[in-house]
Amino acid sequence: MAAHEQSPDRYPEHIPVLRDAFVDALFSDPDGYYVDCTFGRGGHSRALLARLSDKGRLLAIDRDSEAVAAGEKLASEDGRFIIRHSDFAQLEKTLENEGWEQVTGIGFDLGVSSPQVDNAARGFSFRHDGPLDMRMDTGSGLPLSSMLAHVSERDLIDVLRNFGDERYARRIAAAILKAFHARTLHSTSDLENICFHAVPKQARYGKTHPATRSFQALRIWVNGEMDQIDAGIAAAMSHLQPGGKLAVISFHSGEDRRIRDLIEAQVHACICPPEMPVCVCGRRPTMRWLQKKPLRADEQELAANPRSRSSMLRVAQRLSDTEAKKLAGYSGDPLMCGELH
Ligand SMILES: C[S@@+](CC[C@H](N)C(=O)[O-])C[C@H]1O[C@@H](n2cnc3c(N)ncnc32)[C@H](O)[C@@H]1O
């Protein structure tokens, strides 16, 4: 069997990252309604189901149909569990379709799963030779090869910088597009080789492979991951019941900053200029931080699962209306909420 044709069943393993911390953060009520927005192979979902009563429910989504197929198997064995093929951008609609207006907890474990990375045919990894694809949902969007056909060098530099913090973005972008238009870039091995030779010699043999950041950046670009995060986190925060919790695991600083800012905008909702003595914008906070400084994997987890190395967990909680008014020092006047700066 060619590398590109490997069966997905050969890669069932995914060790859930920060599993106990994630589930502890989300869980509050055994009878509650929970959402796992990144089912993967269900490590977090199973740990959450273990804490639910017969009345509790868990809805999981994933944009990858192989993950959804794994979820369907779990759904057939456990009546409290529902899986849907959906993405963060459609979370609002998915919750509406299920009639889930307010939920007890919503969790995100961002990025790709081990079965996705380890299956060469998906084109995510520079360690296996595969096609230039990188889509999590192979049924929609454009594969990397088509995206490269239409991108300018300037935009590709921005992709590598913004989504990969790649220091050598300019050199790598130029080399990728030169090879692509010369028809010598066909596979992930070609791409790995191009990244390797595009960086200066002294940067080729460091702790991380010189293609690591570029592969991450290209994957984020192909899957529109930042827009997905914006839509998903916004929908999640607006569907939490008072006291409901949001837990997000991310794997790189760009993602983590985005999540921090989206939550922070709801924690400090007031947009009045600092020179105003009291708030006049009337915007009230809707969330509070429970874990503002990202929680990281401990030594034991790092030793057992190297993938946990860059994981960061942030947790926030939806305020009740009364708490929100109290925090904003609400005066009763909708135009003068009275929050002191
Ligand atoms: C890190 S894995 C999750 C692993 C999972 N927590 C487990 O324990 O098995 C991320 C999963 O989220 C999915 N995913 C990533 N972005 C998504 C999005 N925008 N919408 C829906 N699913 C997404 C990926 O397809 C992948 O299966």
Side-chain angles (χ1 to χ4, degrees):
M1 189 185 272
H4 291 198
E5 293 159 11
Q6 283 162 336
S7 150
D9 298 332
R10 287 185 58 192
Y11 312 103
E13 277 300 309
H14 177 90
I15 306 172
V17 165
L18 292 169
R19 188 191 63 186
D20 294 343
F22 184 75
V23 174
D24 285 346
L26 273 185
F27 182 77
S28 57
D29 175 6
D31 299 340
Y33 277 47
Y34 296 87
V35 186
D36 177 353
C37 294
T38 48
F39 179 75
R41 286 301 179 273
H44 288 134
S45 278
R46 282 188 183 82
L48 197 49
L49 283 167
R51 300 210 191 168
L52 297 192
S53 71
D54 286 347
K55 289 196 205 134
R57 294 288 178 271
L58 172 61
L59 165 67
I61 66 164
D62 205 295
R63 70 195 303 192
D64 184 324
S65 48
E66 288 173 6
V68 174
E72 277 162 357
K73 187 164 181 300
L74 178 58
S76 70
E77 293 158 2
D78 190 329
R80 302 167 303 165
F81 177 71
I82 307 158
I83 180 93
R84 298 285 176 251
H85 187 217
S86 181
D87 63 18
F88 305 165
Q90 302 174 71
L91 181 59
E92 185 83 48
K93 184 122 199 50
T94 308
L95 291 171
E96 196 185 298
N97 288 346
E98 300 301 324
W100 286 32
E101 208 157 288
Q102 290 211 318
V103 304
T104 319
I106 305 192
F108 295 79
D109 173 18
L110 300 173
V112 273
S113 66
S114 303
Q116 287 170 324
V117 175
D118 293 343
N119 184 350
R122 305 295 301 268
F124 285 111
S125 171
F126 56 82
R127 299 192 193 285
H128 314 286
D129 191 21
L132 298 172
D133 193 326
M134 292 196 182
R135 282 171 301 167
M136 294 184 196
D137 181 354
T138 50
S140 75
L142 296 175
L144 176 61
S145 51
S146 306
M147 302 278 286
L148 288 176
H150 298 108
V151 72
S152 68
E153 192 169 316
R154 182 67 261 162
D155 286 350
L156 190 55
I157 294 170
D158 286 347
V159 165
L160 299 178
R161 278 211 185 116
N162 297 342
F163 303 152
D165 294 321
E166 177 51 66
R167 188 173 163 199
Y168 302 108
R170 200 176 282 278
R171 299 165 71 133
I172 296 174
I176 289 176
L177 289 184
K178 187 168 170 224
F180 187 80
H181 294 299
R183 298 180 192 273
T184 56
L185 168 53
H186 303 291
S187 68
T188 50
S189 293
D190 295 338
L191 185 57
E192 179 262 341
N193 196 32
I194 290 162
C195 295
F196 181 84
H197 288 100
V199 304
K201 279 202 176 111
Q202 71 274 13
R204 288 181 192 164
Y205 301 98
K207 260 207 290 190
T208 48
H209 188 287
T212 309
R213 290 168 182 277
S214 297
F215 268 67
Q216 172 192 290
L218 295 170
R219 187 206 82 212
I220 291 174
W221 178 51
V222 164
N223 291 286
E225 289 180 41
M226 290 302 183
D227 290 343
Q228 287 276 326
I229 288 174
D230 290 352
I233 300 288
M237 290 193 291
S238 71
H239 281 274
L240 282 172
Q241 66 189 40
K245 296 194 271 176
L246 168 69
V248 189
I249 299 173
S250 62
F251 290 86
H252 75 93
S253 54
E255 250 174 15
D256 179 60
R257 276 195 302 273
R258 194 87 156 216
I259 288 145
R260 179 202 62 196
D261 292 350
L262 290 165
I263 297 175
E264 186 67 14
Q266 296 303 316
V267 171
H268 291 291
C270 171
I271 51 163
C272 296
E275 55 276 15
M276 299 286 286
V278 291
C279 167
V280 292
C281 73
R283 289 181 179 226
R284 277 184 250 146
T286 61
M287 302 287 290
R288 78 154 67 85
W289 283 111
L290 295 182
Q291 179 78 48
K292 184 171 183 185
K293 183 166 176 261
L295 185 89
R296 291 181 172 271
D298 61 20
E299 293 292 320
Q300 208 184 344
E301 179 164 5
L302 287 172
N305 182 10
R307 227 191 124 253
S308 65
R309 187 170 28 103
S310 45
S311 60
M312 293 171 271
L313 170 65
R314 288 187 189 257
V315 188
Q317 185 174 37
R318 176 96 191 180
L319 298 169
S320 67
D321 270 0
T322 325
E323 285 170 318
K325 282 178 190 167
K326 217 192 253 171
L327 273 175
Y330 188 61
S331 66
D333 177 349
L335 292 176
M336 282 292 276
C337 73
E339 184 182 9
L340 292 174
H341 286 120

